[in-house]
Amino acid sequence: LRMPIERSSRRCGPVAGTELFKIPGTIVVEHYPDQKAVVAGWESLSTPSFREAIQRGMAECRRLGAKTWIVDLTRNPGVPFQAELAWIDSVGADLARACGVVALINVHGSSTMSTMGSRRWSQSADKNGMATYDCRSLEDALAIAADVASSARADSRRAKK
């Protein structure tokens, strides 16, 4: 269920997230509670801290009840090493689902390389039943995340009846 999004009709306005953690030269991870989203602002995907960053980020998603993992590629962070891509294929989507994440949103920068890399992890997420989206701004990603959170709340209410 891969959906490219160019522009959302709903706007979140200027919103600031709460920083959860930072791995210098790798990632800054922020929480957006209203959208039930965690944003991974990647500085570099080709780093020995790649797996640690994802594992810590997913643990935060579980702890906070986030439904969406937003991958911010606007700093043009390159692509992960091949071993990391293989790890994502074998572990990533299962880890995300185990932590309660149901959607993955890629926010693309100007790097064709990063965009190509995101296709691989999106395919893995798709195969494992997660919704995936592509957009060009954090604002659009947060609007999509708000829709995902709203849908998750509705599903939860229906399940309780």
Side-chain angles (χ1 to χ4, degrees):
L1 186 61
R2 188 167 173 78
M3 295 168 251
I5 305 291
E6 287 304 317
R7 188 175 24 181
S8 175
S9 59
R10 228 168 89 201
R11 295 285 181 222
C12 293
V15 179
T18 302
E19 186 174 310
L20 299 172
F21 69 89
K22 179 178 185 163
I23 301 174
T26 300
I27 197 169
V28 176
V29 176
E30 296 177 318
H31 181 227
Y32 290 78
D34 292 345
Q35 294 84 5
K36 291 189 155 288
V38 170
V39 176
W42 288 96
E43 296 171 12
S44 176
L45 292 164
S46 303
T47 170
S49 301
F50 179 81
R51 291 183 195 190
E52 173 194 354
I54 291 187
Q55 290 167 331
R56 284 180 66 187
M58 288 298 118
E60 291 293 341
C61 287
R62 176 186 292 143
R63 181 178 73 82
L64 297 165
K67 297 298 178 191
T68 301
W69 175 253
I70 298 174
V71 180
D72 183 350
L73 302 168
T74 57
R75 293 184 191 104
N76 301 319
V79 294
F81 299 123
Q82 287 300 314
E84 307 309 343
L85 286 169
W87 179 79
I88 287 284
D89 285 346
S90 66
V91 174
D94 289 336
L95 176 61
R97 290 178 58 104
C99 292
V101 175
V102 299
L104 168 75
I105 303 172
N106 296 303
V107 182
H108 297 285
S110 60
S111 170
T112 302
M113 187 74 88
S114 293
T115 299
M116 288 172 50
S118 75
R119 287 189 184 126
R120 183 157 171 190
W121 62 69
S122 291
Q123 287 173 349
S124 177
D126 283 341
K127 285 189 297 189
N128 286 284
M130 293 178 68
T132 61
Y133 305 85
D134 294 287
C135 61
R136 293 272 173 208
S137 73
L138 181 58
E139 183 180 70
D140 286 346
L142 290 170
I144 296 165
D147 290 343
V148 168
S150 177
S151 177
R153 281 191 290 274
D155 290 346
S156 176
R157 282 193 296 272
R158 280 193 292 275
K160 289 180 182 176
K161 287 184 179 180

